[in-house]
């Protein structure tokens, strides 16, 4: 399974757009990229998933370049409640195991 | 979205006793479920894959005789921590992908404290 690398932490202010980049140089052809959000003492929550180009939903956008060796999660106009750890995971959709990387601790300041 | 529940949400037990944690998919069936362990300020570590009707498969370094997994139905998997020790104190999380779906849904987690 492709290993992922993310920044350990990021700081932002309320109302700003936050972009978190994840590197996955060994991504396989069948692999999808999925992002999860985790608050302390809670299970991870699905944010967005994509295979290539751009995906957008009501909470985030996911940008994937043509070589798919990286991806960027974009959170528009963050609020204090977006303070959490964000995980980038790579895997195929045959329900193979997810191996979590270190994640990115996003701290949103007022 | 689909819901995965865990019971109990938190449990305290004495060293040497066994504790069972349940993971249920409430509105979908899951032939496969996954169990994770998370220590404070660390990432989730995959422990094992629970397979309905067959034996679980364990990740390297995880003692299968200590962490017993049973996936008796398409909506329930249980993790039993046997002869618990203080170092087993952790946050245990399960996940399940709906059969035919593509997204994994995570349970809320179970906080285990062994005294």
């Amino acid at each position: 399974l492709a290993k992922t690398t993310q920044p350990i932490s990021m700081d932002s202010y309320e109302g700003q757009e936050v972009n978190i980049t994840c590197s996955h140089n060994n991504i396989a052809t069948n692999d999808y990229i999925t992002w999860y959000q985790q608050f302390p003492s809670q299970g991870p929550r699905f944010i967005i998933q994509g295979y290539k180009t751009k995906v957008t939903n009501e909470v985030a956008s996911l940008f994937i370049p043509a070589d798919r060796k990286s991806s960027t999660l974009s959170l528009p106009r963050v609020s204090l409640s977006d303070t959490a750890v964000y995980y980038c995971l790579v895997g195929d959709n045959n329900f193979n195991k997810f191996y979590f990387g270190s994640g990115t601790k996003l701290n949103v300041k007022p | 979205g689909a819901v995965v529940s865990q019971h109990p949400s938190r449990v305290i037990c004495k060293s040497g006793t066994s504790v069972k944690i349940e993971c249920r998919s409430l509105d979908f069936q899951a032939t496969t479920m996954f169990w994770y362990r998370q220590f404070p300020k660390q990432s989730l570590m995959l422990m094992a894959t629970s397979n309905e009707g067959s034996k679980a498969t364990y990740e390297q370094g995880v003692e299968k005789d200590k962490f017993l997994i049973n996936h008796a139905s398409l909506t329930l998997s249980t993790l039993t921590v046997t002869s618990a020790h203080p170092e087993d104190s952790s946050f245990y999380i399960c996940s399940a992908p709906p059969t035919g779906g593509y997204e994994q849904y995570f349970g809320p987690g179970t906080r285990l404290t062994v005294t």
Side-chain angles (χ1 to χ4, degrees):
Chain A
L1 289 171
K3 180 179 178 181
T4 59
T5 303
Q6 304 174 231
I8 295 296
S9 64
M10 293 181 67
D11 289 332
S12 181
Y13 290 93
E14 281 191 292
Q16 288 187 331
E17 177 185 73
V18 171
N19 296 309
I20 305 175
T21 298
C22 177
S23 296
H24 28 81
N25 291 319
N26 297 323
I27 190 169
T29 302
N30 294 333
D31 286 344
Y32 281 71
I33 300 154
T34 311
W35 285 79
Y36 284 86
Q37 175 193 56
Q38 187 184 29
F39 297 111
S41 297
Q42 294 187 26
R45 184 177 73 99
F46 173 88
I47 300 175
I48 198 166
Q49 184 184 75
Y51 183 81
K52 62 180 180 180
T53 62
K54 176 183 175 182
V55 179
T56 297
N57 62 22
E58 61 276 10
V59 298
S61 294
L62 178 59
F63 298 92
I64 306 168
D67 66 5
R68 305 200 327 121
K69 292 183 182 300
S70 66
S71 59
T72 299
L73 173 72
S74 181
L75 304 172
R77 298 178 298 282
V78 295
S79 63
L80 295 177
S81 62
D82 292 317
T83 293
V85 178
Y86 293 81
Y87 293 100
C88 158
L89 294 106
V90 175
D92 65 36
N93 277 344
N94 288 322
F95 316 127
N96 278 347
K97 314 163 191 179
F98 272 163
Y99 293 97
F100 280 75
S102 61
T104 297
K105 174 74 168 66
L106 174 63
N107 184 29
V108 180
K109 303 175 183 178
Chain B
V3 178
V4 174
S5 71
Q6 287 184 236
H7 178 80
S9 58
R10 56 179 62 234
V11 56
I12 301 173
C13 70
K14 293 186 183 296
S15 186
T17 62
S18 296
V19 174
K20 180 184 288 187
I21 302 170
E22 293 185 348
C23 175
R24 292 182 185 272
S25 55
L26 297 186
D27 50 3
F28 65 94
Q29 294 183 332
T31 54
T32 302
M33 293 184 177
F34 301 94
W35 287 95
Y36 297 82
R37 179 167 54 178
Q38 186 174 33
F39 293 108
K41 299 190 184 302
Q42 293 187 22
S43 184
L44 286 77
M45 185 192 78
L46 179 65
M47 299 175 65
T49 303
S50 175
N51 304 297
E52 189 268 336
S54 64
K55 291 183 179 180
T57 53
Y58 292 81
E59 294 299 304
Q60 190 172 10
V62 178
E63 300 175 59
K64 60 181 180 181
D65 294 331
K66 181 169 185 60
F67 299 100
L68 301 180
I69 291 173
N70 187 316
H71 195 148
S73 76
L74 288 172
T75 59
L76 173 64
S77 174
T78 60
L79 169 68
T80 301
V81 182
T82 63
S83 186
H85 292 285
E87 56 264 33
D88 298 323
S89 298
S90 187
F91 192 53
Y92 292 87
I93 305 170
C94 70
S95 74
T99 302
Y102 62 89
E103 176 184 328
Q104 285 208 36
Y105 296 96
F106 286 81
T110 296
R111 175 75 60 193
L112 169 63
T113 302
V114 184
T115 61

